[in-house]
Amino acid sequence: MLGYAYWGQKCPRRILGRVTVRALLAEKKHAFSFEYFPPKTEQGERSLFETVRAMKSLDPAFVSITCGAGGSTKRKTLDWAAKIKHEIGIEVVVHMTCLGRTRDELVGEIEDARSEGIENLLALRGDGGPPAPDGEVCKFAIDLIRIIEETFPAACTLGACYPEGHVDAENRELDLRRLKEKCDAGLDVLVTQLFFDNAHYFSFVDRARAIGIEQPVIPGIMPVTDVAQVERFTKMCGATLPRALMASLEGQTKEDVIKIGVEHASRQCAELLAHGAPGIHFYTLNKSPATRMVVEALR
Ligand code: FAD
């Protein structure tokens, strides 16, 4: 459990009612959401709590809390989600990873989320993680989606998708067919991997609709604030960086990189929303300024 007694004093626990992301998307014209990861240090925890609280003024539809590979942060992820939901008063999505994990373990984790009043779950495969225990274990996100569907049918289940294709997929067509299987297994909402060229999102959504995927597809956006970092991330997840964007960032000061990154993300978001995206999911990396600037520019 997170050990900040003073949080409880400053922010009395108010049990929020049950709200699903599905319902929030239907209700809000443009639903903004912010993704955070559970910090490793006490200083990080203090700073994240303040960041989330300050970002509440931007009226996010929900925030989501990531989970380490193999479920390594599962208790912390859930504690953060419960604190944000009940003490700060923002709806939450809990990320769950299933690769190498048993059904019993995952059923227990789903039950823990339900008992905290959380019913929005982002069902993921994850990458790597600790050695798998003996017995039957999950291999793909669809295994977890089926477990959620069987054990917590009232949950709103979100899933990941990849406008430029997933790095392990043999080809984009097969990747999309597997996404359709995930959707048919019980997904309510899709959230995309980050991308920097909207053409990828628009053509992906067209291809998804053409094969009968009807779920809302929330685009995932990360304003560039650090060139080396974005190069590292995109290499890992297979997203591409437009040449013109990279050229404009070359040789710039730290401040100018942030300015250019925010301008690019703001243009991306404005175009996505104008052309029917249901909202924007921001990869915040636990920092607020760049995301705040983009949301304020949009409003
Ligand atoms: P899957 O949907 O299982 O797909 C993984 C790959 O397997 C794809 O190439 C797919 O085509 C293929 N595949 C699917 N089904 C089959 C099948 N039956 N047979 C053969 N191949 C198949 N990672 C974390 O560790 N923690 C997080 O909190 C986290 N949050 C994320 C949030 C978002 C919005 C996104 C987009 C990603 C997130 N990730 C996170 C990263 C994610 O775990 C990785 O991208 C992972 O490699 C794939 O997860 P998935 O759920 O998309 O997997």
Side-chain angles (χ1 to χ4, degrees):
M1 298 287 283
L2 297 166
Y4 289 104
Y6 78 93
W7 286 2
Q9 287 156 22
K10 274 191 183 169
C11 308
R13 194 173 164 92
R14 295 162 287 150
I15 302 294
L16 276 194
R18 292 176 168 256
V19 186
T20 63
V21 169
R22 199 177 31 220
L24 288 167
L25 293 181
E27 183 186 295
K28 290 196 179 247
K29 187 161 180 241
H30 296 148
F32 296 120
S33 52
F34 306 139
E35 180 173 305
Y36 303 106
F37 59 85
K40 292 200 174 96
T41 63
E42 284 201 2
Q43 172 55 38
E45 291 189 339
R46 233 172 265 126
S47 136
L48 179 59
F49 193 77
E50 291 312 324
T51 297
V52 177
R53 199 155 57 165
M55 296 285 271
K56 189 180 176 187
S57 63
L58 296 175
D59 191 26
F62 64 91
V63 306
S64 82
I65 312 296
T66 68
C67 182
S72 55
T73 66
K74 62 178 192 274
R75 190 64 247 177
K76 264 190 155 191
T77 296
L78 197 53
D79 287 345
W80 269 101
K83 273 196 174 290
I84 291 170
K85 174 159 176 152
H86 302 305
E87 295 180 17
I88 300 183
I90 306 174
E91 192 45 62
V92 290
V93 170
V94 163
H95 296 213
M96 286 181 69
T97 55
C98 69
L99 183 65
R101 303 183 66 201
T102 64
R103 179 188 165 89
D104 285 354
E105 230 186 302
L106 293 163
V107 170
E109 197 175 325
I110 294 164
E111 196 42 51
D112 288 346
R114 193 208 310 243
S115 66
E116 290 284 1
I118 290 163
E119 60 177 322
N120 297 300
L121 305 173
L122 175 50
L124 298 152
R125 184 191 74 172
D127 296 301
D134 290 339
E136 211 175 308
V137 291
C138 294
K139 291 200 180 93
F140 298 106
I142 194 168
D143 303 329
L144 174 56
I145 295 163
R146 288 184 177 131
I147 296 173
I148 297 171
E149 193 67 6
E150 281 167 37
T151 60
F152 189 9
C156 175
T157 312
L158 294 84
C161 62
Y162 303 82
E164 298 182 67
H166 183 264
V167 278
D168 297 348
E170 295 91 323
N171 57 61
R172 286 190 195 185
E173 202 197 320
L174 201 50
D175 202 32
L176 199 60
R177 265 196 272 139
R178 284 169 183 153
L179 180 64
K180 173 80 166 74
E181 285 165 14
K182 281 205 299 193
C183 290
D184 292 346
L187 286 185
D188 296 290
V189 175
L190 294 168
V191 186
T192 78
Q193 183 56 277
L194 51 82
F195 59 89
F196 296 89
D197 178 347
N198 289 348
H200 296 304
Y201 174 86
F202 293 128
S203 89
F204 171 76
V205 173
D206 285 348
R207 288 187 298 120
R209 300 292 180 241
I211 65 158
I213 293 175
E214 291 173 351
Q215 283 75 354
V217 183
I218 308 178
I221 296 294
M222 190 180 82
V224 178
T225 54
D226 179 321
V227 176
Q229 183 189 57
V230 80
E231 284 176 337
R232 209 170 52 246
F233 286 170
T234 48
K235 202 170 167 200
M236 271 187 317
C237 73
T240 53
L241 287 159
R243 237 186 257 156
L245 173 63
M246 294 317 282
S248 69
L249 292 166
E250 207 178 306
Q252 299 290 351
T253 61
K254 215 171 165 225
E255 290 71 28
D256 283 341
V257 165
I258 295 173
K259 189 167 168 278
I260 294 165
V262 165
E263 280 167 5
H264 182 83
S266 304
R267 274 195 305 276
Q268 265 196 286
C269 295
E271 188 186 37
L272 289 162
L273 295 173
H275 290 85
I280 306 285
H281 184 67
F282 288 96
Y283 293 104
T284 71
L285 304 178
N286 287 13
K287 298 195 173 76
S288 59
T291 300
R292 177 178 284 283
M293 284 188 263
V294 175
V295 174
E296 282 171 352
L298 291 169
R299 283 184 174 151

